[in-house]
Amino acid sequence: MSRLTPSQLGTLCRMLSFCRPHGSDMDEMFCREYLAPLPGIVRDVHRNWIVDIGESPSVLWSSHTDTVHWVSGFQTLHVDHARSLITLSKRSRKRSKCLGGDDTVGVFLMREMFLAGVPGRYIFHYGEEAGCEGSSDLAKYSPETLEGIKYAIALDRAGTSDIITSQLGDTCCSDEFAQSLIDALGLPYTPEYGSYTDTASYVDIIPECTNLSVGYSGAHSNRESVDFAHVGVLLDALVKMDQSRLICSRDPFAPKPTVTRFASSNPHAKHSYPAVIDRVDGNTRDALWRTSYGWGTPEWCDICDCPVIDEDDPNYHDLDHCVCTPEDNRPYDDIAIDTRGLTEDEVKFMRYLRGLD
């Protein structure tokens, strides 16, 4: 089994000690320490850090430098060598929002890949946690940066086994590419639905866009952990990967199915969450949830039609969920449809979904 060297593990831990909210001074300090010294790296007008290895690279490696911490500063960690896990220390768990493996692990992997000479265009994105600011601005205003790129591979996914083939409800890469990436890595990865990350900004420009599990879990919570044994295995596979084995077959300019997107407005829900309804293939509610959030099938509340999530679940504070009380006993069909911003056809479709028409 490939393992991180003591020096690499030390670097990963030091990187994880930075609490760096979007646009914070700590985010800037982190980038100055770990990215700015890389030979040839530049910062574009959208505040992304970009550097190439090799001429005319066809692979874009993607990660992001910000975390979901609320407050800037440093945090202390606990390293469990027996289980190969990095977590927050007990002291930091009381005051820190998260460990920040999302996406410190991706930044670490790309930095090590660069130092090992792996070919590609490396983009360390700005502001992913604030809505993919750096990548969306790059795609909109500087698409020439992506010329010649066939494959955009984000290293920004929880778990140890996912290759994402769908983001924001739309196909982001072909099954052929996903399988070729699995074969090239030689690791037991499988295709999965995802929510979104920076490569979702590029699906109309780059043929094959995906997101790869890098070994963190419990993201956006103080229970987050990093499986550094998996990080070592994945790093070894990425360094040794034969990029010529990758298959490009998706057409980014092909017409897409008609999709209606709306935000549900529910008086019983903690928030309003986006749902994606595909009128062509008729996806079920459970499939829509997995497509939107890359998360397993939940129990659904009969009153508010939101997922029932236990407050001890790591996703509790990050996903919209049922907050109904026993007094909230009105049937869901009696809850008014919020028609603001919807066309007449979309209102009819909403009524159809509720069985009112």
Side-chain angles (χ1 to χ4, degrees):
M1 176 185 297
S2 300
R3 293 183 179 274
L4 297 178
T5 66
S7 175
Q8 289 172 328
L9 180 58
T11 297
L12 177 57
C13 288
R14 287 193 299 275
M15 293 171 75
L16 286 166
S17 71
F18 283 72
C19 304
R20 45 189 200 279
H22 160 66
S24 65
D25 290 341
M26 287 299 290
D27 192 8
E28 292 296 313
M29 183 186 299
F30 175 86
C31 292
R32 287 198 301 270
E33 181 166 343
Y34 292 105
L35 301 184
L38 298 179
I41 199 166
V42 296
R43 198 168 196 184
D44 69 6
V45 294
H46 315 298
R47 306 184 74 176
N48 305 298
W49 294 84
I50 304 175
V51 63
D52 285 357
I53 290 186
E55 295 185 5
S56 303
S58 61
V59 177
L60 184 156
W61 302 107
S62 164
S63 62
H64 64 87
T65 63
D66 59 328
T67 60
V68 297
H69 286 97
W70 291 328
V71 179
S72 293
F74 289 99
Q75 60 192 9
T76 56
L77 313 177
H78 174 70
V79 180
D80 185 337
H81 289 277
R83 296 190 298 159
S84 299
L85 289 181
I86 304 170
T87 59
L88 289 172
S89 68
K90 290 183 179 180
R91 181 179 65 180
S92 288
R93 189 172 295 175
K94 295 178 181 179
R95 59 183 178 83
S96 181
K97 162 71 173 173
C98 65
L99 175 64
D102 174 11
D103 186 30
T104 305
V105 176
V107 176
F108 167 80
L109 285 168
M110 285 175 52
R111 186 174 180 274
E112 292 296 318
M113 291 163 61
F114 177 88
L115 295 174
V118 176
R121 176 158 297 157
Y122 292 72
I123 303 185
F124 301 86
H125 288 105
Y126 173 80
E128 192 270 356
E129 299 292 3
C132 297
E133 286 189 7
S135 58
S136 59
D137 285 350
L138 187 153
K140 183 176 181 179
Y141 300 110
S142 306
E144 65 278 3
T145 303
L146 308 174
E147 288 181 3
I149 300 296
K150 295 181 179 179
Y151 317 100
I153 303 173
L155 303 178
D156 182 23
R157 172 75 174 177
T160 59
S161 61
D162 296 347
I163 286 182
I164 297 307
T165 57
S166 175
Q167 299 187 63
L168 293 173
D170 293 331
T171 298
C172 58
C173 73
S174 65
D175 293 338
E176 293 83 0
F177 164 74
Q179 188 58 54
S180 71
L181 180 55
I182 292 170
D183 294 341
L185 288 171
L187 298 177
Y189 276 71
T190 56
E192 263 296 346
Y193 290 112
S195 50
Y196 71 96
T197 189
D198 287 302
T199 53
S201 301
Y202 304 143
V203 294
D204 294 329
I205 302 173
I206 297 174
E208 307 286 3
C209 299
T210 190
N211 190 10
L212 198 64
S213 289
V214 295
Y216 60 79
S217 62
H220 297 193
S221 79
N222 62 4
R223 300 180 183 180
E224 186 179 5
S225 63
V226 169
D227 179 349
F228 62 83
H230 178 77
V231 176
V233 170
L234 179 58
L235 176 59
D236 185 62
L238 290 166
V239 169
K240 295 178 179 177
M241 186 179 79
D242 180 0
Q243 297 181 10
S244 68
R245 298 180 63 181
L246 299 179
I247 296 173
C248 181
S249 64
R250 175 181 169 271
D251 181 0
F253 306 109
K256 295 179 174 59
T258 301
V259 174
T260 297
R261 302 177 186 274
F262 64 92
S264 65
S265 181
N266 191 314
H268 296 289
K270 183 180 179 184
H271 310 288
S272 293
Y273 63 85
V276 181
I277 302 298
D278 191 327
R279 302 189 191 190
V280 177
D281 62 21
N283 285 337
T284 66
R285 177 177 59 180
D286 290 342
L288 291 171
W289 177 264
R290 291 193 298 272
T291 299
S292 296
Y293 292 108
W295 191 58
T297 303
E299 175 188 353
W300 295 90
C301 176
D302 293 332
I303 297 172
C304 69
D305 210 39
C306 287
V308 178
I309 304 177
D310 188 277
E311 63 181 35
D312 292 330
D313 192 290
N315 299 284
Y316 184 78
H317 295 289
D318 300 303
L319 301 182
D320 302 301
H321 55 272
C322 169
V323 292
C324 293
T325 66
E327 291 75 28
D328 296 325
N329 55 9
R330 287 184 296 159
Y332 180 62
D333 292 351
D334 289 343
I335 299 175
I337 296 174
D338 185 353
T339 60
R340 290 173 296 180
L342 298 180
T343 66
E344 182 177 350
D345 286 341
E346 288 170 340
V347 172
K348 290 180 179 179
F349 189 55
M350 289 286 290
R351 292 180 59 81
Y352 165 75
L353 291 175
R354 294 189 182 183
L356 299 179
D357 289 334

